[in-house]
Amino acid sequence: MDKLEPVILLMPAIALTLVVVSYIILLKKLSDKVLFKQFVFIILLLAFILNFIWEVIQGPLYTRFTYSVLHIAFCGLASVADAIMVLLIYFFLAFIFKNPLWIANISLQRILILMLVGGVGAILSEMRHLALGNWSYTSSMPVIPFVNAGISPVLQFIILPPLIYYLSFVFIKKVEPIRIG
């Protein structure tokens, strides 16, 4: 983290607005609203926890990062934004697959689409933040050629969303096995 400018909150604010609107639209399509609310809450909670762990672990790959209260708090803020993006990706795919609980019908093709969306989104986000000077990498961060986005944050959004959705679905299926199927 080189500097913290208010503009850094613009994209998360837009994403949060899209998440809220998408949530309302998808909720209206379901007969079991309680189940969907629980599922979304679990996604949000897991997304925050797993992204926070990832953010803290990858911290040393960013310049001037220290394990201080300020930097750990920044990881927390980044994890909130990450959790919002995880929900946004899920809702985007719910519209694409025309099913708010599309994860129940997971396939290799859907996993690959999810990984592609997460990876491309992470690359675009990293390019934007690097261009704005919000952060920069140490020489230890491997970067993707041509786009110069760090491998770690891109892998974060290739690996974590499928894991979060899967774990959330497994959890909700154990809690509500009759209603899920």
Side-chain angles (χ1 to χ4, degrees):
M1 172 182 71
D2 287 342
K3 58 185 175 180
L4 182 58
E5 300 287 337
V7 73
I8 198 172
L9 300 174
L10 179 63
M11 290 309 287
I14 293 169
L16 180 59
T17 302
L18 290 172
V19 162
V20 170
V21 169
S22 297
Y23 175 76
I24 292 167
I25 292 168
L26 291 170
L27 191 61
K28 287 181 180 181
K29 293 182 177 192
L30 289 166
S31 58
D32 195 341
K33 294 174 184 358
V34 173
L35 178 71
F36 188 67
K37 288 177 183 179
Q38 291 171 344
F39 180 62
V40 168
F41 176 77
I42 294 165
I43 288 174
L44 194 58
L45 184 64
L46 274 177
F48 176 78
I49 292 167
L50 293 178
N51 278 291
F52 182 75
I53 292 167
W54 192 292
E55 294 287 349
V56 170
I57 290 171
Q58 77 176 351
L61 298 173
Y62 291 84
T63 59
R64 299 186 193 105
F65 180 85
T66 60
Y67 286 102
S68 66
V69 172
L70 177 65
H71 284 108
I72 299 302
F74 186 78
C75 288
L77 179 62
S79 299
V80 169
D82 293 341
I84 291 167
M85 292 309 296
V86 166
L87 273 179
L88 187 60
I89 292 169
Y90 185 86
F91 293 161
F92 171 74
L93 292 176
F95 288 116
I96 297 296
F97 300 141
K98 297 180 173 110
N99 182 355
L101 291 173
W102 61 268
I103 195 70
N105 302 314
I106 199 65
S107 65
L108 179 58
Q109 179 185 19
R110 287 182 174 189
I111 291 171
L112 293 175
I113 290 169
L114 170 57
M115 294 171 80
L116 179 66
V117 169
V120 169
I123 288 170
L124 294 173
S125 176
E126 284 298 301
M127 290 172 63
R128 178 181 173 272
H129 285 291
L130 291 167
L132 290 173
N134 294 324
W135 54 70
S136 58
Y137 306 135
T138 66
S139 59
S140 301
M141 173 73 85
V143 294
I144 299 169
F146 306 111
V147 295
N148 294 322
I151 295 276
S152 181
V154 173
L155 285 176
Q156 180 179 358
F157 268 84
I158 289 174
I159 295 169
L160 290 187
L163 178 63
I164 291 163
Y165 305 152
Y166 173 76
L167 292 174
S168 298
F169 183 73
V170 167
F171 180 81
I172 203 72
K173 194 173 176 182
K174 286 184 180 186
V175 172
E176 301 286 348
I178 296 169
R179 292 195 278 184
I180 293 281

